[in-house]
Amino acid sequence: MRIHAFAAAIVASSLLSTPAMAQFQKPEDAIKYRKAALTVMGNHFSRIGAMANGRVPFDAAVAANSAAVVESLSKLPWEGFGPGTDKGDTRAKAEIWTEKAKFDEAAKTMQTEVAKLNQAAKTGSLDAVKAAFGGAAQSCKACHDAYRSN
Ligand code: ASC
């Protein structure tokens, strides 16, 4: 009985409180992970942008697929910004770690905006996609302007 309770406590605590860095063997791996997620997200976001801006014909299924990819990926980069990942092959600015609460808030705003974009894309309406695209693009840009060096 005591063993069971102990085992359950270990499982529960590992599920609830595994530090993000434990997912990466070394800081470079975390940097690669976050960049990969942001790169794929940016690619799919751009596909939607090309349609929203009339550079390519609107295809509702393509837009919906990309918006779903973007929403899923928007949840991923953040655990790659753990302690010790400020140095290396990265354009991340020190402010990410010195203004962590503001950075987290900006990340949350982006996730909210791309979730709206995904809902819009699901309707199949170009007008809905156009209406949601601007706010999402602004949320990408705000974070890049503040937290990414050129
Ligand atoms: C993109 C992309 C971004 C955003 C940003 C919006 O297509 O890759 O990071 O749009 O440029 O301003």
Side-chain angles (χ1 to χ4, degrees):
M1 201 59 180
R2 280 181 54 206
I3 297 278
H4 282 137
F6 184 61
I10 288 174
V11 170
S13 71
S14 68
L15 289 176
L16 292 173
S17 64
T18 303
M21 271 310 286
Q23 310 303 328
F24 304 105
Q25 300 230 329
K26 40 191 191 330
E28 302 91 278
D29 293 347
I31 293 171
K32 262 192 224 166
Y33 176 93
R34 74 195 186 206
K35 287 169 76 170
L38 289 161
T39 296
V40 178
M41 190 180 359
N43 180 290
H44 282 274
F45 191 72
S46 296
R47 297 186 203 192
I48 302 167
M51 290 186 257
N53 296 321
R55 289 196 304 277
V56 308
F58 181 60
D59 181 323
V62 170
N65 177 67
S66 280
V69 169
V70 169
E71 184 179 1
S72 284
L73 287 172
S74 72
K75 302 175 172 81
L76 302 185
W78 322 115
E79 72 172 335
F81 287 92
T85 65
D86 55 329
K87 297 280 185 306
D89 185 13
T90 180
R91 287 186 286 164
K93 285 188 183 171
E95 283 78 3
I96 290 170
W97 293 274
T98 58
E99 302 174 356
K100 187 80 170 64
K102 273 178 74 180
F103 177 72
D104 290 348
E105 198 53 42
K108 214 186 286 170
T109 299
M110 185 278 277
Q111 291 173 78
T112 302
E113 293 299 320
V114 302
K116 285 189 211 164
L117 179 62
N118 190 23
Q119 290 307 311
K122 279 182 184 169
T123 69
S125 151
L126 175 58
D127 284 343
V129 170
K130 280 183 181 171
F133 184 79
Q138 181 48 42
S139 73
C140 302
K141 186 177 175 344
C143 221
H144 292 159
D145 288 351
Y147 299 113
R148 184 178 73 176
S149 60
N150 295 312

